[in-house]
Amino acid sequence: MIFYKRLSPFYNLAFFYFVISFLLRIVLFFHPITQSSFTLLESLKIFSLGLISDFFVFVLMSVFLWLYLVFISNIKYDKPYGYIILASFVALFLYIASGKSIFDEYGGALPRIVLIFLGIKTALFALFLYSPKWRDKIRFWMFAFVVFLYVVVILQNGLSEYFFWNEFGVKYNFIAVNYLIYTNEVIGNIMQSYPVIPLFSALFLGSGIVTYFILKRSANFIKEIPNLNEKIKFSALYAVLFVISLVAIPMFAKTENSKNVFVNELQSNGLYKFYLAFENNKLDYLKFYKTLPNRQSFANLREQFPGISGENTIRSITEDSLENHKNVVLITIESYSADFMKSYGNKQNITPFLDSLAQKSLQFTNLYAAGNRTVRGLEAVTLCLPPTAGESVVKRDDNKNKFSTGAVFKQKGYNVKFMYGGDAFFDNMQDFYSGNGYDIIDKSSFSPEEITFSNVWGVCDEDMYNKAIKVMNAEAKENKPFFNHIMTVSNHRPFTYPNNKIDIPGDIKSREGGVKYTDFALRRFFEMASKQPWFQNTVFVIVADHCASSAGKTQLPLDKYRIPAFIYTPNKKPSQYNQLMSQIDLMPTLFGLLHFDYESKFFGQDVFKTDYKPRAFIATYQDLGLIKDNVLTILSPKQVVKQYTLKVRPTEGVAPEFQILYDEIPLKAERTDLVNDAISFYQSASYLLKEKRYQFEGLKAKNKKLYANIR
């Protein structure tokens, strides 16, 4: 047989993979979320370099196919080899089944997985050995199954990349890695958000049809099993391609260097992007980013924090009025972009309550979320520090006993709770908040009669607010002020909520419906709260955790980080603060309004203080941005620094303080002072976390018993 025909399983599957990748790029190229137009050169780069990258990725993907095919033979079933091999399999199976194998030292599910695999392998080998007349048929169906698995994986990955792009406007990134960890919520979300049965039915049907045609072109490999010489030839060829691919894939990834982020994303291979995200979930700032000497970094911070000294951010916050120990309710709203609100230009009337509440509150009109994930928003309002590279502190192993807003409230004698309508295990919230002195109220705290509606993310917001009212009524009887942090869930895909609550049915799964129901539930909460005896003595802080989408034409599109934020105090005169500020400033500003005296480590500041210099932090898990002096400075791995002048792109009929669209124009001459500011903030925050200097016990607390209470 001609040698190239021996490679038919590889090149037929490769052709199918290239077709799916090409079609996927076409679909994403014209997808509505791809907010960009492309030049001819950019288009050629996307499809040509993308195809080459796909080829090398497929070579690596084929390693399991190669391992399977290279061991297909009849010789191993001849006497006495077959009996020796079978005896070896049986002995190995018994060894692992004994519970004293090397795999048992690793614990978990590994011993069971190995035992099942070896059991199947042993049974199949015995079947092949003792039933030679069935050998060819069984081998053919096993070969068909392997091909079918590859086809399913290729098609399923194409669908996954499409839906991920549909949600985030990028190929796989750090979020996709997180999704593998929290499979229950994510699979449940998929089940409730998409027509899963039709999708998977079509997936398996399509895979079966494709497998049939590939088998017609590749079955000769099974019918005429290659001899040893042929196996050595194609193994040598595969080994060479494998080594070349290991070098070529990262090399081609370096060509993803366009100023247009969509060009880079469309050119990239999703599987390799997933691998990179998995590898880079922990980023050491000092290794990957541009740095300054530590002493200089903290010296620069003293311009922002005049009271600090040495390599820390410790400073005394003092007020000239008596402390006001009002109750505080902090509500972080899931995925709530500023442009959902009427004042920012939305004409759909989907936030009528928040629109009205804004007119009665202290409204922060120019506030930016720290990141584009819930854990970043929680980190921002809880730890009040810039979003450091890699995973959020919430999800890190070293996430306990930090200097937090809860710690400050504990110092002041407050009861401190975190309330979440879902399972607080998700995103490591349980570990983080309990490890920082918060009591946890989550779905597990609800009795069956307290749940009127739930989806995969948890109970609906109304149920959470009903529970919160009960908890706060009980707390009010303890004669202690309370601080309760509520995290909402309803404005999240699949956007399901109780029917007959708003004019958008809860079962049509629309983003607008999720937003409007969230607003409706918030209205109901305030209606209930206003009837409670503790209401007049309570301050309500409402802020989004992040925007609904992070996709944009630029690395850090500003409109995808602009979020609404209010502080509502009953019978307090409404006002606006229009200066630039960060999500990390919200709680320190609240402490200032309550006239708290405390020793602070926060990077967040009271924006009403005279020494506050307007700036904001926005980031992905690896691109770290500082907005200051109308310039966006971005720090990226490999010591890359980019700067853009921000020019407002006015939206007609929207007041100047609510304009959110900006053109990011590359800066012609570097603003070194702003680069150093960005480095100083992010480097010092990373340093303090790494060296465990952002712990609560690091403070010179006046009363050590207070810290004991937090723990």
Side-chain angles (χ1 to χ4, degrees):
M1 183 179 292
I2 302 172
F3 176 69
Y4 82 86
K5 290 187 177 180
R6 292 301 192 188
L7 304 176
S8 58
F10 294 93
Y11 61 68
N12 283 313
L13 279 170
F15 177 74
F16 176 64
Y17 178 62
F18 299 152
V19 169
I20 294 300
S21 295
F22 177 78
L23 292 176
L24 179 65
R25 282 195 177 89
I26 290 287
V27 170
L28 301 185
F29 190 91
F30 293 104
H31 194 286
I33 208 171
T34 310
Q35 302 168 359
S36 182
S37 56
F38 304 100
T39 65
L40 177 61
L41 187 61
E42 287 175 332
S43 301
L44 289 172
K45 185 183 180 188
I46 287 170
F47 290 98
S48 60
L49 296 185
L51 177 64
I52 297 171
S53 179
D54 291 343
F55 170 77
F56 289 118
V57 168
F58 180 80
V59 170
L60 298 187
M61 284 172 55
S62 303
V63 65
F64 299 107
L65 180 63
W66 169 76
L67 283 171
Y68 167 71
L69 294 178
V70 82
F71 283 105
I72 292 178
S73 72
N74 284 320
I75 297 175
K76 60 188 175 186
Y77 301 108
D78 293 342
K79 298 179 181 178
Y81 308 116
Y83 297 104
I84 294 173
I85 294 172
L86 179 60
S88 300
F89 276 135
V90 171
L92 190 57
F93 178 83
L94 293 174
Y95 164 66
I96 296 171
S98 69
K100 299 179 180 179
S101 71
I102 188 172
F103 299 106
D104 290 285
E105 296 180 13
Y106 292 92
L110 182 61
R112 184 177 298 177
I113 293 171
V114 174
L115 188 66
I116 292 171
F117 172 79
L118 198 58
I120 294 172
K121 187 71 178 174
T122 303
L124 285 173
F125 192 89
L127 184 63
F128 274 58
L129 179 64
Y130 292 111
S131 304
K133 65 178 181 178
W134 295 100
R135 193 177 295 165
D136 290 342
K137 287 186 177 180
I138 296 172
R139 182 179 285 137
F140 174 80
W141 286 108
M142 287 183 62
F143 176 68
F145 180 69
V146 171
V147 173
F148 178 76
L149 281 182
Y150 263 88
V151 172
V152 167
V153 168
I154 291 169
L155 276 176
Q156 190 273 333
N157 177 69
L159 284 173
S160 298
E161 285 196 42
Y162 168 78
F163 285 121
F164 197 82
W165 187 280
N166 193 53
E167 184 78 11
F168 300 104
V170 294
K171 291 289 186 75
Y172 297 140
N173 62 13
F174 205 41
I175 299 171
V177 177
N178 290 347
Y179 278 7
L180 276 186
I181 299 171
Y182 300 102
T183 52
N184 182 53
E185 285 82 357
V186 173
I187 291 174
N189 183 27
I190 292 169
M191 294 290 289
Q192 295 181 15
S193 298
Y194 302 105
V196 173
I197 293 177
L199 270 177
F200 277 90
S201 298
L203 171 67
F204 287 119
L205 178 62
S207 297
I209 294 171
V210 173
T211 299
Y212 171 77
F213 286 105
I214 291 179
L215 286 176
K216 285 187 67 175
R217 297 171 176 270
S218 307
N220 51 19
F221 192 99
I222 296 297
K223 293 176 181 177
E224 300 177 34
I225 299 172
N227 58 39
L228 180 61
N229 186 48
E230 290 174 319
K231 287 182 179 180
I232 291 174
K233 284 182 180 178
F234 78 66
S235 294
L237 175 62
Y238 180 74
V240 170
L241 288 174
F242 189 89
V243 172
I244 292 174
S245 299
L246 290 175
V247 176
I249 291 173
M251 183 179 72
F252 275 93
K254 291 180 181 178
T255 66
E256 296 161 16
N257 53 8
S258 172
K259 293 180 180 179
N260 187 334
V261 174
F262 284 115
V263 173
N264 300 330
E265 291 292 335
L266 289 169
Q267 178 190 329
S268 66
N269 180 278
L271 293 173
Y272 183 61
K273 292 276 285 187
F274 182 88
Y275 166 77
L276 288 179
F278 186 83
E279 284 293 301
N280 296 327
N281 61 349
K282 294 181 180 178
L283 292 175
D284 187 331
Y285 183 93
L286 297 177
K287 289 182 180 179
F288 290 97
Y289 293 82
K290 191 170 184 179
T291 61
L292 293 169
N294 241 21
R295 184 177 298 178
Q296 183 181 344
S297 173
F298 281 96
N300 288 346
L301 285 189
R302 278 195 286 276
E303 296 181 11
Q304 190 82 19
F305 313 122
I308 68 172
S309 62
E311 295 183 353
N312 60 71
T313 55
I314 300 174
R315 60 202 184 278
S316 294
I317 308 295
T318 57
E319 299 288 337
D320 54 7
S321 301
L322 290 176
E323 291 188 358
N324 191 345
H325 289 185
K326 284 179 175 286
N327 304 312
V328 176
V329 177
L330 166 63
I331 301 174
T332 43
I333 306 178
E334 172 67 44
S335 305
Y336 220 75
S337 306
D339 58 11
F340 289 151
M341 297 188 64
K342 185 177 181 180
S343 54
Y344 290 92
N346 192 292
K347 298 179 181 179
Q348 297 175 291
N349 193 34
I350 53 177
T351 61
F353 176 68
L354 272 183
D355 289 336
S356 65
L357 187 67
Q359 305 305 313
K360 306 171 186 176
S361 305
L362 165 57
Q363 183 177 13
F364 302 97
T365 65
N366 197 9
L367 184 144
Y368 285 87
N372 49 28
R373 293 280 285 148
T374 295
V375 285
R376 283 301 190 192
L378 296 178
E379 174 189 89
V381 297
T382 304
L383 302 183
C384 306
L385 84 169
T388 50
E391 188 55 276
S392 163
V393 176
V394 174
K395 299 182 70 174
R396 297 180 192 177
D397 294 334
D398 178 28
N399 66 1
K400 299 173 181 62
N401 303 327
K402 301 300 180 188
F403 185 75
S404 67
T405 53
V408 174
F409 279 115
K410 283 269 189 175
Q411 279 185 312
K412 303 301 180 183
Y414 281 67
N415 285 326
V416 173
K417 287 183 174 64
F418 175 72
M419 301 183 181
Y420 179 60
D423 184 349
F425 166 78
F426 182 72
D427 268 346
N428 212 41
M429 290 182 281
Q430 172 85 39
D431 186 60
F432 174 71
Y433 279 105
S434 63
N436 284 285
Y438 289 69
D439 294 325
I440 308 291
I441 303 291
D442 69 353
K443 187 177 179 181
S444 65
S445 308
F446 285 67
S447 61
E449 58 270 17
E450 291 177 319
I451 302 175
T452 64
F453 181 92
S454 66
N455 61 21
V456 68
W457 293 109
V459 303
C460 64
D461 285 354
E462 284 180 275
D463 290 346
M464 181 68 257
Y465 291 138
N466 289 336
K467 181 73 170 181
I469 293 291
K470 290 181 182 179
V471 171
M472 288 185 269
N473 284 341
E475 287 179 312
K477 296 176 182 178
E478 297 181 26
N479 295 319
K480 288 179 64 177
F482 56 75
F483 166 60
N484 292 322
H485 180 175
I486 303 172
M487 178 71 224
T488 75
V489 300
S490 290
N491 187 36
H492 195 296
R493 191 177 297 278
F495 307 118
T496 55
Y497 46 86
N499 279 319
N500 304 315
K501 300 290 183 176
I502 58 173
D503 56 3
I504 303 175
D507 48 15
I508 69 171
K509 303 177 182 179
S510 72
R511 164 73 73 179
E512 292 74 19
V515 173
K516 196 164 189 176
Y517 173 73
T518 296
D519 188 80
F520 166 83
L522 198 59
R523 179 192 295 274
R524 290 291 305 274
F525 170 69
F526 271 86
E527 288 174 352
M528 290 186 292
S530 64
K531 299 174 184 177
Q532 309 308 319
W534 44 262
F535 178 76
Q536 295 296 329
N537 192 42
T538 303
V539 178
F540 298 87
V541 183
I542 299 101
V543 64
D545 61 347
H546 58 84
C547 280
S549 170
S550 59
K553 185 177 179 179
T554 58
Q555 271 181 282
L556 296 176
L558 266 65
D559 59 309
K560 304 301 183 182
Y561 290 85
R562 191 78 164 267
I563 56 174
F566 322 97
I567 294 178
Y568 173 74
T569 307
N571 302 317
K572 184 86 171 181
K573 184 179 178 181
S575 60
Q576 284 185 358
Y577 181 83
N578 300 323
Q579 294 296 310
L580 176 68
M581 62 182 290
S582 172
Q583 197 176 24
I584 73 172
D585 300 317
L586 189 59
M587 296 307 288
T589 299
L590 173 71
F591 293 150
L593 295 172
L594 295 175
H595 308 298
F596 280 6
D597 293 334
Y598 63 105
E599 199 170 358
S600 175
K601 284 188 176 182
F602 292 142
F603 282 74
Q605 295 175 268
D606 179 353
V607 297
F608 292 110
K609 294 290 187 183
T610 56
D611 56 6
Y612 171 70
K613 297 179 176 63
R615 82 286 173 271
F617 306 95
I618 60 175
T620 63
Y621 68 95
Q622 64 177 4
D623 293 321
L624 311 175
L626 171 69
I627 309 170
K628 188 177 180 182
D629 293 352
N630 211 40
V631 171
L632 171 62
T633 302
I634 303 176
L635 309 178
S636 299
K638 300 182 181 180
Q639 292 78 43
V640 173
V641 177
K642 297 178 182 177
Q643 288 186 297
Y644 303 90
T645 297
L646 303 175
K647 182 181 179 182
V648 69
R649 194 162 71 248
T651 300
E652 188 176 350
V654 176
E657 62 269 25
F658 294 106
Q659 295 288 343
I660 64 173
L661 298 176
Y662 288 86
D663 290 322
E664 299 178 13
I665 305 166
L667 208 60
K668 294 181 180 179
E670 183 182 89
R671 280 283 304 272
T672 306
D673 59 328
L674 296 179
V675 172
N676 289 342
D677 281 348
I679 293 171
S680 297
F681 279 116
Y682 285 111
Q683 179 179 318
S684 57
S686 302
Y687 170 79
L688 291 177
L689 288 170
K690 185 177 181 180
E691 298 299 321
K692 300 184 185 298
R693 296 189 182 185
Y694 207 74
Q695 307 300 101
F696 182 76
E697 65 264 34
L699 287 173
K700 300 173 182 176
K702 296 178 181 179
N703 189 341
K704 293 183 179 179
K705 291 183 180 179
L706 291 173
Y707 175 63
N709 290 336
I710 292 176
R711 301 190 71 176

